[in-house]
């Protein structure tokens, strides 16, 4: 089941028809969770749509800030490094792990880059446990965390150049929850140089120390 269809265009999916949801403990929990979120936002009331949209509860500042970071300042031809999305989550809020539990939506990261670059699987730190509205048990992250993947540069040579740019893009989607839930997304970009010299660590390198 793709729960983003139930949340609509806030999570970036448009024009999809929601599929019927099968019955079961997890699906029942998701229904209850989404109903509580929609009740808090006024969805389903008889107010005009524009008024409901204007009154949707939201914090003054986004509860989640994201940044695309790398372990090394450059990468060698045929070399490897790690890249990741660093999340800074406002106190009291949380986002969800790859297995969010009985409700919530998994955080998603989609990498893209040149054809001569490959990305490994997303690495998930051990999650925390939360109790969401309706006494629903979920799993995710609060405070700060990083979701990362290994990157391999398959470029065979430099073609006589001293440096070749390696552009990296990440499409990130998450659901942040406190008393209410707010979907968020970001398109992030980072360019690393491909150089023959041994790479040096970036100031963000220590963030990857706790990556499994």
């Amino acid at each position: 089941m793709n729960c983003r269809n139930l949340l609509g265009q806030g999570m970036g999916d448009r024009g999809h028809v929601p599929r019927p949801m099968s019955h079961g403990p997890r699906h029942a929990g998701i229904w209850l969770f989404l109903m509580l979120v929609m009740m808090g936002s006024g969805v389903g009331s008889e107010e005009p749509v524009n008024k409901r949209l204007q009154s949707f509860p939201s914090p003054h500042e986004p509860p989640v800030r994201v940044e695309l970071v790398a372990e090394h300042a450059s990468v060698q031809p045929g070399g490897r490094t790690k890249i990741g999305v660093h999340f800074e989550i406002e106190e009291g809020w949380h986002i969800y792990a790859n297995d969010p539990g009985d409700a919530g939506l998994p955080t998603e990261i989609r990498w893209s880059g040149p054809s001569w670059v490959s990305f490994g699987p997303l690495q998930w730190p051990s999650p925390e446990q939360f109790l969401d509205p309706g006494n629903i048990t979920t799993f995710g992250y609060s405070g700060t965390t990083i979701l990362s993947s290994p990157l391999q540069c398959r470029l065979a040579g430099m073609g006589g150049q001293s440096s070749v740019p390696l552009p990296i893009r990440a499409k990130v989607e998450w659901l942040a929850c406190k008393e209410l839930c707010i979907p968020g997304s970001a398109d992030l970009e980072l360019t690393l140089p491909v150089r023959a010299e041994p790479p040096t660590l970036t100031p963000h390198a220590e963030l990857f120390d706790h990556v499994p």
Side-chain angles (χ1 to χ4, degrees):
M1 180 201 64
N2 188 342
C3 296
R4 287 177 294 163
N5 291 337
L6 299 176
L7 287 174
Q9 65 182 21
M11 290 299 292
D13 283 346
R14 295 178 173 84
H16 289 71
V17 178
R19 297 178 180 177
M21 185 180 296
S22 61
H23 297 289
R26 171 171 167 77
H27 291 148
I30 293 174
W31 271 117
L32 177 59
F33 176 77
L34 293 174
M35 287 175 64
L36 289 168
V37 171
M38 289 188 291
M39 286 170 62
S41 65
V43 175
S45 70
E46 296 181 357
E47 293 180 295
V49 173
N50 289 341
K51 185 176 180 180
R52 291 205 306 269
L53 291 175
Q54 292 171 0
S55 63
F56 191 96
S58 62
H60 296 295
E61 296 290 336
V64 179
R65 292 174 294 278
V66 292
E67 181 184 11
L68 181 55
V69 297
E71 183 180 30
H72 294 93
S74 63
V75 60
Q76 292 177 301
R80 295 173 178 266
T81 188
K82 295 177 182 177
I83 56 170
V85 175
H86 182 222
F87 293 82
E88 293 185 352
I89 306 164
E90 189 174 317
E91 184 176 358
W93 292 79
H94 59 270
I95 60 174
Y96 293 95
N98 57 331
D99 180 2
D102 294 331
L105 294 173
T107 301
E108 295 186 4
I109 300 177
R110 295 187 291 276
W111 307 112
S112 62
S115 59
W116 39 269
V117 169
S118 60
F119 303 93
L122 201 60
Q123 306 296 310
W124 297 83
S126 298
E128 306 170 56
Q129 180 174 311
F130 302 99
L131 196 63
D132 280 351
N135 292 324
I136 298 173
T137 300
T138 60
F139 301 94
Y141 308 100
S142 63
T144 63
T145 193
I146 185 170
L147 301 181
S148 67
S149 290
L151 176 151
Q152 181 173 10
C153 172
R154 301 196 306 272
L155 195 64
M158 305 288 291
Q161 302 180 66
S162 60
S163 177
V164 174
L166 194 174
I168 303 164
R169 297 178 180 85
K171 172 68 176 178
V172 192
E173 294 182 350
W174 65 88
L175 184 67
C177 291
K178 192 178 179 182
E179 286 87 5
L180 57 96
C181 293
I182 299 176
S185 65
D187 294 297
L188 307 178
E189 296 186 13
L190 174 69
T191 298
L192 292 177
V194 180
R195 294 174 179 162
E197 296 81 15
T200 58
L201 294 174
T202 69
H204 300 106
E206 62 181 18
L207 296 173
F208 297 88
D209 290 345
H210 305 292
V211 173

